[in-house]
CSV table of all heavy atoms in Angstrom, one decimal:
chain,number,residue,atom,x,y,z
A,1168,MET,N,13.6,13.4,-5.3
A,1168,MET,CA,12.6,12.4,-5.0
A,1168,MET,C,12.7,11.3,-6.1
A,1168,MET,O,13.4,11.4,-7.1
A,1168,MET,CB,11.2,12.9,-4.9
A,1168,MET,CG,11.0,13.8,-3.7
A,1168,MET,SD,11.1,12.9,-2.2
A,1168,MET,CE,9.5,11.9,-2.3
A,1169,GLN,N,11.8,10.3,-6.0
A,1169,GLN,CA,11.8,9.2,-7.0
A,1169,GLN,C,11.0,9.7,-8.2
A,1169,GLN,O,10.3,10.6,-8.2
A,1169,GLN,CB,11.1,8.0,-6.3
A,1169,GLN,CG,11.9,7.5,-5.1
A,1169,GLN,CD,11.2,6.4,-4.5
A,1169,GLN,OE1,10.1,6.0,-4.8
A,1169,GLN,NE2,11.9,5.7,-3.5
A,1170,THR,N,11.1,8.9,-9.2
A,1170,THR,CA,10.3,9.1,-10.4
A,1170,THR,C,8.9,8.8,-10.1
A,1170,THR,O,8.6,7.9,-9.3
A,1170,THR,CB,10.8,8.1,-11.5
A,1170,THR,OG1,12.2,8.3,-11.7
A,1170,THR,CG2,10.1,8.4,-12.8
A,1171,ALA,N,8.0,9.6,-10.7
A,1171,ALA,CA,6.6,9.4,-10.5
A,1171,ALA,C,6.2,8.0,-10.9
A,1171,ALA,O,6.6,7.4,-11.9
A,1171,ALA,CB,5.8,10.4,-11.3
A,1172,CYS,N,5.3,7.4,-10.1
A,1172,CYS,CA,4.9,6.0,-10.3
A,1172,CYS,C,3.4,5.9,-10.4
A,1172,CYS,O,2.7,6.5,-9.6
A,1172,CYS,CB,5.4,5.1,-9.2
A,1172,CYS,SG,5.0,3.4,-9.4
A,1173,ASP,N,2.9,5.2,-11.4
A,1173,ASP,CA,1.4,5.1,-11.5
A,1173,ASP,C,0.9,4.0,-10.7
A,1173,ASP,O,-0.4,3.7,-10.7
A,1173,ASP,CB,1.1,4.9,-13.0
A,1173,ASP,CG,1.3,6.2,-13.8
A,1173,ASP,OD1,1.2,7.3,-13.2
A,1173,ASP,OD2,1.6,6.1,-15.0
A,1174,HIS,N,1.7,3.2,-10.1
A,1174,HIS,CA,1.3,2.0,-9.3
A,1174,HIS,C,0.4,1.1,-10.1
A,1174,HIS,O,-0.7,0.7,-9.6
A,1174,HIS,CB,0.6,2.5,-8.1
A,1174,HIS,CG,1.3,3.6,-7.3
A,1174,HIS,ND1,2.6,3.5,-7.0
A,1174,HIS,CD2,0.9,4.8,-7.0
A,1174,HIS,CE1,3.0,4.7,-6.4
A,1174,HIS,NE2,2.0,5.5,-6.4
A,1175,THR,N,0.8,0.7,-11.3
A,1175,THR,CA,-0.1,-0.1,-12.1
A,1175,THR,C,0.1,-1.6,-11.8
A,1175,THR,O,-0.8,-2.4,-12.1
A,1175,THR,CB,0.3,0.1,-13.6
A,1175,THR,OG1,1.7,0.0,-13.8
A,1175,THR,CG2,-0.2,1.5,-14.0
A,1176,ARG,N,1.2,-1.9,-11.2
A,1176,ARG,CA,1.4,-3.3,-10.8
A,1176,ARG,C,1.4,-3.4,-9.3
A,1176,ARG,O,2.3,-2.9,-8.6
A,1176,ARG,CB,2.8,-3.8,-11.4
A,1176,ARG,CG,2.8,-3.7,-12.9
A,1176,ARG,CD,4.0,-4.5,-13.4
A,1176,ARG,NE,5.2,-4.1,-12.8
A,1176,ARG,CZ,6.2,-5.0,-12.4
A,1176,ARG,NH1,6.0,-6.3,-12.6
A,1176,ARG,NH2,7.3,-4.6,-11.9
A,1177,THR,N,0.4,-4.1,-8.7
A,1177,THR,CA,0.4,-4.2,-7.3
A,1177,THR,C,0.1,-5.7,-6.9
A,1177,THR,O,-0.4,-6.4,-7.7
A,1177,THR,CB,-0.8,-3.3,-6.7
A,1177,THR,OG1,-2.0,-3.7,-7.3
A,1177,THR,CG2,-0.5,-1.9,-7.0
A,1178,GLN,N,0.4,-6.0,-5.7
A,1178,GLN,CA,0.0,-7.3,-5.1
A,1178,GLN,C,-0.6,-7.1,-3.7
A,1178,GLN,O,-0.1,-6.2,-3.0
A,1178,GLN,CB,1.2,-8.2,-5.1
A,1178,GLN,CG,2.3,-7.7,-4.1
A,1178,GLN,CD,3.4,-8.7,-4.0
A,1178,GLN,OE1,3.4,-9.8,-4.5
A,1178,GLN,NE2,4.4,-8.3,-3.2
A,1179,ILE,N,-1.5,-7.9,-3.4
A,1179,ILE,CA,-2.1,-7.8,-2.1
A,1179,ILE,C,-1.2,-8.4,-1.1
A,1179,ILE,O,-0.7,-9.5,-1.2
A,1179,ILE,CB,-3.5,-8.6,-2.0
A,1179,ILE,CG1,-4.5,-7.9,-3.0
A,1179,ILE,CG2,-4.0,-8.6,-0.6
A,1179,ILE,CD1,-5.8,-8.6,-3.1
A,1180,ILE,N,-0.9,-7.7,0.0
A,1180,ILE,CA,0.1,-8.2,1.0
A,1180,ILE,C,-0.6,-8.5,2.3
A,1180,ILE,O,-0.1,-9.2,3.1
A,1180,ILE,CB,1.2,-7.1,1.2
A,1180,ILE,CG1,0.6,-5.8,1.6
A,1180,ILE,CG2,2.0,-7.0,-0.1
A,1180,ILE,CD1,1.7,-4.8,2.0
A,1181,ALA,N,-1.8,-7.9,2.5
A,1181,ALA,CA,-2.5,-8.1,3.8
A,1181,ALA,C,-3.9,-7.8,3.7
A,1181,ALA,O,-4.3,-7.0,2.8
A,1181,ALA,CB,-1.8,-7.3,4.9
A,1182,ARG,N,-4.7,-8.3,4.6
A,1182,ARG,CA,-6.1,-7.9,4.7
A,1182,ARG,C,-6.5,-7.8,6.2
A,1182,ARG,O,-6.2,-8.6,7.0
A,1182,ARG,CB,-7.0,-9.0,4.0
A,1182,ARG,CG,-8.5,-8.8,4.4
A,1182,ARG,CD,-9.4,-9.7,3.6
A,1182,ARG,NE,-9.6,-9.1,2.3
A,1182,ARG,CZ,-10.5,-9.7,1.4
A,1182,ARG,NH1,-11.1,-10.8,1.8
A,1182,ARG,NH2,-10.7,-9.2,0.3
A,1183,ARG,N,-7.1,-6.6,6.5
A,1183,ARG,CA,-7.5,-6.4,7.9
A,1183,ARG,C,-8.8,-5.6,7.9
A,1183,ARG,O,-8.9,-4.6,7.2
A,1183,ARG,CB,-6.4,-5.6,8.6
A,1183,ARG,CG,-6.6,-5.5,10.1
A,1183,ARG,CD,-5.5,-4.8,10.8
A,1183,ARG,NE,-5.4,-3.4,10.4
A,1183,ARG,CZ,-4.5,-2.5,10.8
A,1183,ARG,NH1,-3.5,-3.0,11.6
A,1183,ARG,NH2,-4.5,-1.3,10.4
A,1184,ASP,N,-9.7,-6.1,8.7
A,1184,ASP,CA,-11.0,-5.4,8.8
A,1184,ASP,C,-11.7,-5.2,7.5
A,1184,ASP,O,-12.3,-4.2,7.2
A,1184,ASP,CB,-10.8,-4.1,9.6
A,1184,ASP,CG,-10.3,-4.3,11.0
A,1184,ASP,OD1,-10.6,-5.4,11.5
A,1184,ASP,OD2,-9.7,-3.4,11.5
A,1185,GLY,N,-11.5,-6.1,6.6
A,1185,GLY,CA,-12.2,-6.0,5.3
A,1185,GLY,C,-11.5,-5.2,4.3
A,1185,GLY,O,-12.0,-4.9,3.2
A,1186,VAL,N,-10.3,-4.6,4.7
A,1186,VAL,CA,-9.6,-3.8,3.8
A,1186,VAL,C,-8.4,-4.5,3.3
A,1186,VAL,O,-7.6,-5.1,4.1
A,1186,VAL,CB,-9.1,-2.5,4.5
A,1186,VAL,CG1,-8.3,-1.6,3.6
A,1186,VAL,CG2,-10.3,-1.7,5.1
A,1187,ASP,N,-8.2,-4.5,2.0
A,1187,ASP,CA,-7.0,-5.1,1.4
A,1187,ASP,C,-5.9,-4.1,1.3
A,1187,ASP,O,-6.1,-2.9,0.9
A,1187,ASP,CB,-7.3,-5.6,0.0
A,1187,ASP,CG,-8.2,-6.8,0.0
A,1187,ASP,OD1,-8.2,-7.6,1.0
A,1187,ASP,OD2,-9.0,-7.0,-0.9
A,1188,TYR,N,-4.7,-4.5,1.7
A,1188,TYR,CA,-3.6,-3.7,1.5
A,1188,TYR,C,-2.7,-4.2,0.4
A,1188,TYR,O,-2.5,-5.4,0.3
A,1188,TYR,CB,-2.8,-3.6,2.8
A,1188,TYR,CG,-3.5,-2.9,3.9
A,1188,TYR,CD1,-4.4,-3.6,4.8
A,1188,TYR,CD2,-3.4,-1.6,4.1
A,1188,TYR,CE1,-5.1,-3.0,5.7
A,1188,TYR,CE2,-4.0,-0.9,5.1
A,1188,TYR,CZ,-4.9,-1.6,5.9
A,1188,TYR,OH,-5.6,-1.0,6.9
A,1189,VAL,N,-2.3,-3.3,-0.5
A,1189,VAL,CA,-1.6,-3.7,-1.7
A,1189,VAL,C,-0.2,-3.0,-1.7
A,1189,VAL,O,-0.1,-1.9,-1.2
A,1189,VAL,CB,-2.3,-3.5,-3.0
A,1189,VAL,CG1,-3.6,-4.2,-3.0
A,1189,VAL,CG2,-2.6,-2.0,-3.2
A,1190,GLU,N,0.7,-3.7,-2.3
A,1190,GLU,CA,2.1,-3.1,-2.4
A,1190,GLU,C,2.4,-2.9,-3.9
A,1190,GLU,O,2.2,-3.9,-4.7
A,1190,GLU,CB,3.1,-4.0,-1.8
A,1190,GLU,CG,4.5,-3.4,-1.9
A,1190,GLU,CD,5.6,-4.3,-1.3
A,1190,GLU,OE1,5.3,-5.5,-1.0
A,1190,GLU,OE2,6.7,-3.8,-1.2
A,1191,CYS,N,2.9,-1.8,-4.2
A,1191,CYS,CA,3.3,-1.5,-5.6
A,1191,CYS,C,4.6,-2.3,-5.9
A,1191,CYS,O,5.5,-2.2,-5.1
A,1191,CYS,CB,3.5,0.0,-5.9
A,1191,CYS,SG,4.0,0.3,-7.5
A,1192,LEU,N,4.5,-3.1,-7.0
A,1192,LEU,CA,5.7,-3.9,-7.3
A,1192,LEU,C,6.9,-3.0,-7.8
A,1192,LEU,O,8.0,-3.5,-7.9
A,1192,LEU,CB,5.3,-5.0,-8.3
A,1192,LEU,CG,4.3,-6.0,-7.8
A,1192,LEU,CD1,4.0,-6.9,-8.9
A,1192,LEU,CD2,4.8,-6.7,-6.6
A,1193,ASP,N,6.5,-1.8,-8.2
A,1193,ASP,CA,7.6,-1.0,-8.8
A,1193,ASP,C,8.3,-0.1,-7.8
A,1193,ASP,O,9.5,0.0,-7.8
A,1193,ASP,CB,6.9,-0.1,-9.9
A,1193,ASP,CG,6.5,-1.0,-11.1
A,1193,ASP,OD1,7.2,-1.9,-11.4
A,1193,ASP,OD2,5.4,-0.6,-11.7
A,1194,CYS,N,7.5,0.5,-6.9
A,1194,CYS,CA,8.0,1.5,-6.0
A,1194,CYS,C,7.9,1.0,-4.6
A,1194,CYS,O,8.4,1.6,-3.6
A,1194,CYS,CB,7.4,2.9,-6.1
A,1194,CYS,SG,5.7,2.9,-5.6
A,1195,HIS,N,7.2,-0.1,-4.4
A,1195,HIS,CA,7.1,-0.8,-3.0
A,1195,HIS,C,6.3,0.1,-2.0
A,1195,HIS,O,6.5,-0.1,-0.8
A,1195,HIS,CB,8.5,-1.1,-2.5
A,1195,HIS,CG,9.2,-2.1,-3.4
A,1195,HIS,ND1,8.8,-3.4,-3.6
A,1195,HIS,CD2,10.3,-1.8,-4.2
A,1195,HIS,CE1,9.7,-3.9,-4.5
A,1195,HIS,NE2,10.5,-3.0,-4.9
A,1196,GLN,N,5.6,1.0,-2.5
A,1196,GLN,CA,4.7,1.8,-1.6
A,1196,GLN,C,3.5,0.9,-1.3
A,1196,GLN,O,3.0,0.1,-2.1
A,1196,GLN,CB,4.2,3.1,-2.3
A,1196,GLN,CG,3.2,3.9,-1.5
A,1196,GLN,CD,3.8,4.5,-0.3
A,1196,GLN,OE1,4.8,5.3,-0.4
A,1196,GLN,NE2,3.4,4.1,0.9
A,1197,VAL,N,3.0,1.1,0.0
A,1197,VAL,CA,1.9,0.3,0.4
A,1197,VAL,C,0.6,1.2,0.4
A,1197,VAL,O,0.7,2.3,0.8
A,1197,VAL,CB,2.1,-0.2,1.8
A,1197,VAL,CG1,0.9,-1.0,2.4
A,1197,VAL,CG2,3.3,-1.2,1.8
A,1198,PHE,N,-0.5,0.6,-0.1
A,1198,PHE,CA,-1.7,1.3,-0.2
A,1198,PHE,C,-2.9,0.5,0.3
A,1198,PHE,O,-2.8,-0.7,0.4
A,1198,PHE,CB,-2.1,1.6,-1.7
A,1198,PHE,CG,-1.0,2.3,-2.4
A,1198,PHE,CD1,0.0,1.6,-3.1
A,1198,PHE,CD2,-0.8,3.7,-2.4
A,1198,PHE,CE1,1.0,2.2,-3.8
A,1198,PHE,CE2,0.2,4.3,-3.1
A,1198,PHE,CZ,1.1,3.5,-3.8
A,1199,GLU,N,-4.0,1.2,0.6
A,1199,GLU,CA,-5.3,0.6,0.8
A,1199,GLU,C,-5.8,0.3,-0.6
A,1199,GLU,O,-5.8,1.2,-1.5
A,1199,GLU,CB,-6.2,1.4,1.5
A,1199,GLU,CG,-5.8,1.6,3.0
A,1199,GLU,CD,-6.9,2.4,3.8
A,1199,GLU,OE1,-8.0,2.5,3.2
A,1199,GLU,OE2,-6.6,2.8,4.9
A,1200,ALA,N,-6.3,-0.9,-0.9
A,1200,ALA,CA,-6.6,-1.3,-2.2
A,1200,ALA,C,-7.8,-0.5,-2.8
A,1200,ALA,O,-7.9,-0.3,-3.9
A,1200,ALA,CB,-7.0,-2.8,-2.3
A,1201,GLU,N,-8.7,-0.1,-1.9
A,1201,GLU,CA,-9.9,0.6,-2.3
A,1201,GLU,C,-9.6,2.0,-2.9
A,1201,GLU,O,-10.2,2.4,-3.9
A,1201,GLU,CB,-10.9,0.7,-1.2
A,1201,GLU,CG,-11.5,-0.6,-0.8
A,1201,GLU,CD,-12.6,-0.4,0.3
A,1201,GLU,OE1,-12.7,0.7,0.8
A,1201,GLU,OE2,-13.3,-1.4,0.5
A,1202,ASP,N,-8.7,2.7,-2.3
A,1202,ASP,CA,-8.5,4.0,-2.8
A,1202,ASP,C,-7.1,4.4,-3.2
A,1202,ASP,O,-6.7,5.5,-3.5
A,1202,ASP,CB,-9.0,5.0,-1.8
A,1202,ASP,CG,-8.4,4.8,-0.4
A,1202,ASP,OD1,-7.4,4.1,-0.4
A,1202,ASP,OD2,-8.9,5.3,0.6
A,1203,LEU,N,-6.2,3.4,-3.1
A,1203,LEU,CA,-4.8,3.5,-3.4
A,1203,LEU,C,-4.2,4.7,-2.6
A,1203,LEU,O,-3.4,5.5,-3.1
A,1203,LEU,CB,-4.6,3.7,-4.9
A,1203,LEU,CG,-4.9,2.5,-5.7
A,1203,LEU,CD1,-4.6,2.8,-7.2
A,1203,LEU,CD2,-4.0,1.3,-5.3
A,1204,GLU,N,-4.7,4.9,-1.4
A,1204,GLU,CA,-4.1,5.9,-0.6
A,1204,GLU,C,-2.9,5.4,0.2
A,1204,GLU,O,-3.1,4.3,0.9
A,1204,GLU,CB,-5.2,6.4,0.4
A,1204,GLU,CG,-4.7,7.5,1.3
A,1204,GLU,CD,-5.8,8.1,2.1
A,1204,GLU,OE1,-6.9,8.4,1.6
A,1204,GLU,OE2,-5.7,8.1,3.4
A,1205,PRO,N,-1.8,6.0,0.2
A,1205,PRO,CA,-0.7,5.5,0.9
A,1205,PRO,C,-0.9,5.5,2.4
A,1205,PRO,O,-1.6,6.4,3.0
A,1205,PRO,CB,0.4,6.6,0.6
A,1205,PRO,CG,0.0,7.2,-0.7
A,1205,PRO,CD,-1.5,7.2,-0.7
A,1206,VAL,N,-0.5,4.4,3.0
A,1206,VAL,CA,-0.6,4.2,4.4
A,1206,VAL,C,0.8,4.0,5.0
A,1206,VAL,O,1.6,3.5,4.4
A,1206,VAL,CB,-1.6,3.1,4.8
A,1206,VAL,CG1,-3.0,3.3,4.2
A,1206,VAL,CG2,-1.0,1.8,4.2
A,1207,PRO,N,0.9,4.4,6.3
A,1207,PRO,CA,2.2,4.1,6.9
A,1207,PRO,C,2.5,2.6,7.0
A,1207,PRO,O,1.6,1.8,7.3
A,1207,PRO,CB,2.0,4.6,8.4
A,1207,PRO,CG,0.9,5.6,8.2
A,1207,PRO,CD,0.0,5.1,7.1
A,1208,ALA,N,3.6,2.2,6.6
A,1208,ALA,CA,4.0,0.8,6.5
A,1208,ALA,C,4.2,0.2,7.9
A,1208,ALA,O,4.1,-1.0,8.1
A,1208,ALA,CB,5.2,0.6,5.6
A,1209,GLU,N,4.6,1.0,8.8
A,1209,GLU,CA,5.0,0.6,10.1
A,1209,GLU,C,3.8,0.6,11.0
A,1209,GLU,O,2.8,1.2,10.7
A,1209,GLU,CB,6.1,1.4,10.7
A,1209,GLU,CG,7.3,1.4,9.7
A,1209,GLU,CD,7.9,0.0,9.5
A,1209,GLU,OE1,7.8,-0.8,10.4
A,1209,GLU,OE2,8.3,-0.2,8.3
A,1210,ASP,N,4.0,0.1,12.2
A,1210,ASP,CA,2.9,0.0,13.1
A,1210,ASP,C,2.5,1.4,13.6
A,1210,ASP,O,3.3,2.3,13.8
A,1210,ASP,CB,3.2,-0.9,14.3
A,1210,ASP,CG,4.5,-0.4,15.0
A,1210,ASP,OD1,5.3,0.3,14.3
A,1210,ASP,OD2,4.7,-0.8,16.1
A,1211,GLU,N,1.2,1.6,13.8
A,1211,GLU,CA,0.6,2.9,14.2
A,1211,GLU,C,0.4,3.0,15.7
A,1211,GLU,O,0.2,4.0,16.2
A,1211,GLU,CB,-0.7,3.2,13.4
A,1211,GLU,CG,-0.5,3.0,11.9
A,1211,GLU,CD,-1.9,3.2,11.2
A,1211,GLU,OE1,-2.9,3.3,12.0
A,1211,GLU,OE2,-1.9,3.1,10.0
A,1212,GLU,N,0.3,1.8,16.3
A,1212,GLU,CA,-0.1,1.7,17.7
A,1212,GLU,C,1.1,1.3,18.5
A,1212,GLU,O,2.0,0.6,18.0
A,1212,GLU,CB,-1.3,0.7,17.8
A,1212,GLU,CG,-2.4,1.1,16.9
A,1212,GLU,CD,-3.5,0.0,17.0
A,1212,GLU,OE1,-3.4,-0.9,17.9
A,1212,GLU,OE2,-4.4,-0.1,16.1
A,1213,GLU,N,1.0,1.6,19.8
A,1213,GLU,CA,2.0,1.1,20.7
A,1213,GLU,C,1.7,-0.2,21.3
A,1213,GLU,O,0.5,-0.5,21.4
A,1213,GLU,CB,2.3,2.2,21.7
A,1213,GLU,CG,2.8,3.5,21.1
A,1213,GLU,CD,3.2,4.4,22.3
A,1213,GLU,OE1,2.9,4.1,23.5
A,1213,GLU,OE2,3.7,5.5,22.0
B,1497,ZN,ZN1,4.3,2.6,-7.5
């Protein structure tokens, strides 16, 4: 796997339903800004 990342550098990439989504500039993981919980980057719905 990859090296552990603390996700200290992030940028907001989207906002939906009052939730900001941020992307880590180091590992490019996408999170919800409020809890830094990883979310699927791709569409969830058909
Ligand atoms: Zn990261």
Side-chain angles (χ1 to χ4, degrees):
M1168 291 293 290
Q1169 300 177 349
T1170 306
C1172 180
D1173 290 332
H1174 314 306
T1175 52
R1176 299 192 309 139
T1177 57
Q1178 65 175 356
I1179 296 176
I1180 58 171
R1182 165 174 281 185
R1183 187 177 67 184
D1184 296 335
V1186 178
D1187 289 330
Y1188 292 88
V1189 299
E1190 177 181 14
C1191 178
L1192 297 177
D1193 292 322
C1194 70
H1195 303 289
Q1196 177 66 62
V1197 177
F1198 307 92
E1199 292 184 14
E1201 289 187 348
D1202 54 14
L1203 292 181
E1204 178 175 309
V1206 296
E1209 305 302 324
D1210 54 341
E1211 306 173 0
E1212 305 173 12
E1213 294 187 356

